[in-house]
Amino acid sequence: MTSINNPILSVQGLTKHFPGGREGLIGKRDVVQAVDGVNFEVAAGEALGLVGESGCGKSTTGRLITRLLEPTAGTVTFEGQDISHFSNTQMRPIRTQLQMIFQDPYASLNPRHTVGTIVSTPFKINKVTPEGGVKKRVQEILEIVGLNPEHYNRYPHEFSGGQRQRIGIARALALRPKLIVADEPVSALDVSIQAQIINLMKDLQKDFGLTFVFIAHDLAVVRHFAQRVAVMYLGNIVEIADRDTLYATPKHPYTKALLSAVPEADPDAIGARERIRLTGDVPNPINPPSGCRFRTRCWKAAEICATQPPALLQIGKTQVACHFPE
């Protein structure tokens, strides 16, 4: 596995199992293997895209990184510090540097609080008094994310979906963090607004030297924002590569299938591209397939795929977990 010199974030063997239902009345409780041994690193100042179908474990991974969830196993190392099992008190100074933007701008903002209260909350929780006072700083942040500073006393219901997501971004930006985990930040927005929010985040990354873990299921959006892309399937990472390499020469059959489904604006390109239709559904994470988890839907599957889980190995510029890579 390729290593990044002094990564800002390093995830090793990250695992999260949730308790499921019971087998029978007093039987053993099922275990949902949401994330199962995930490894990746993120360099300071880069944007890593984390993509995959719904239910693959990417949002759970984001919540494990920000410690909104406790890992079952593995480590999350932020700026050289293992924060995997930090208490809330230990996490408080870390949270000034590690923030999250949530998927639904409607659900992530308290409707009873004004914009000023929402964006100033991180200052109050962390007992930080910015120069010039909290109100002045909040109004500056609102202006940075493209909102009117005079909206300080307005409530979330008075804003559109795109404006609400800008409020969420302003809240994440309040304490000038180093790393932001963006969990599907544009999937709940109109397509016309998505580009505006993506461009805003790209500008913020450049202006403030931010590092992003950008979680999405839309490969076209990820291509526009992330410098490197990690592909997840059923709790595992199956491929990691820089954007240009992954989109031009995908190595894992699952990545190839995902990319074949991305809408193409050029009619000539549509005819030239092979559309790969995967058979069957994503297996149940309570009882995932043995060996390679993708084998039940893969056209390359052989006997070794059922008995031996493929390791994430370096092939050229790509890390891929497949016995028969492209």
Side-chain angles (χ1 to χ4, degrees), residues 208-226:
F208 296 104
L210 293 171
T211 306
F212 276 95
V213 175
F214 186 89
I215 298 165
H217 64 271
D218 188 333
L219 283 143
V221 169
V222 171
R223 185 174 199 166
H224 190 60
F225 185 76

Side-chain angles (χ1 to χ4, degrees), residues 1-300:
M1 180 172 150
T2 306
S3 187
I4 295 169
N5 289 331
N6 301 317
I8 190 170
L9 177 73
S10 177
V11 171
Q12 301 295 324
L14 191 62
T15 301
K16 182 63 181 177
H17 293 172
F18 293 100
R22 290 190 183 276
E23 295 176 7
L25 288 174
I26 54 170
K28 192 173 73 172
R29 187 180 282 278
D30 289 329
V31 173
V32 179
Q33 299 176 32
V35 176
D36 210 32
V38 162
N39 302 302
F40 63 85
E41 293 178 336
V42 187
E46 83 162 334
L48 175 77
L50 194 57
V51 302
E53 292 171 282
S54 295
C56 71
K58 55 191 188 297
S59 289
T60 301
T61 301
R63 288 169 183 269
L64 290 168
I65 293 168
T66 51
R67 285 303 324 283
L68 295 177
L69 288 174
E70 181 83 9
T72 304
T75 59
V76 177
T77 305
F78 178 67
E79 291 201 303
Q81 199 172 10
D82 183 355
I83 62 168
S84 315
H85 301 289
F86 271 21
S87 66
N88 285 336
T89 306
Q90 289 172 305
M91 276 303 296
R92 189 163 289 160
I94 304 292
R95 291 206 189 284
T96 63
Q97 303 298 318
L98 183 60
Q99 287 290 318
M100 190 160 187
I101 299 167
F102 296 93
Q103 176 177 0
D104 188 352
Y106 299 87
S108 64
L109 305 176
N110 189 328
R112 295 177 181 173
H113 288 173
T114 63
V115 170
T117 303
I118 289 166
V119 180
S120 64
T121 297
F123 294 114
K124 291 170 186 168
I125 290 173
N126 293 282
K127 298 180 174 62
V128 174
T129 306
E131 193 178 333
V134 172
K135 182 174 181 179
K136 184 183 175 211
R137 178 73 189 121
V138 168
Q139 289 183 318
E140 286 172 0
I141 297 167
L142 291 177
E143 199 162 15
I144 287 168
V145 300
L147 292 170
N148 190 330
E150 293 170 10
H151 291 164
Y152 185 89
N153 289 316
R154 289 196 181 181
Y155 289 86
H157 74 266
E158 298 178 67
F159 295 89
S160 67
Q163 288 174 319
R164 289 185 207 190
Q165 194 57 289
R166 288 174 191 267
I167 297 167
I169 292 169
R171 177 176 57 188
L173 206 63
L175 296 168
R176 293 283 174 89
K178 293 181 180 175
L179 174 68
I180 293 179
V181 176
D183 183 12
E184 303 251 16
V186 297
S187 64
L189 306 176
D190 291 344
V191 174
S192 59
I193 306 298
Q194 288 184 3
Q196 294 176 19
I197 298 299
I198 291 294
N199 288 333
L200 167 65
M201 290 168 66
K202 284 180 79 171
D203 290 342
L204 294 173
Q205 183 189 11
K206 187 169 67 178
D207 294 345
F208 296 104
L210 293 171
T211 306
F212 276 95
V213 175
F214 186 89
I215 298 165
H217 64 271
D218 188 333
L219 283 143
V221 169
V222 171
R223 185 174 199 166
H224 190 60
F225 185 76
Q227 286 91 51
R228 279 195 311 135
V229 182
V231 181
M232 279 191 83
Y233 182 81
L234 205 63
N236 293 157
I237 285 184
V238 296
E239 185 166 0
I240 305 176
D242 66 85
R243 174 180 57 199
D244 295 340
T245 301
L246 186 118
Y247 282 81
T249 55
K251 293 274 189 289
H252 197 282
Y254 177 62
T255 311
K256 194 172 181 184
L258 278 184
L259 287 171
S260 81
V262 174
E264 185 70 63
D266 182 0
D268 296 329
I270 294 171
R273 189 174 65 182
E274 179 192 3
R275 173 73 169 93
I276 299 167
R277 299 185 188 279
L278 297 175
T279 56
D281 297 320
V282 179
N284 191 332
I286 290 174
N287 186 27
S290 61
C292 174
R293 294 188 172 186
F294 184 60
R295 68 177 174 82
T296 55
R297 305 173 76 196
C298 182
W299 61 94
K300 288 187 163 192

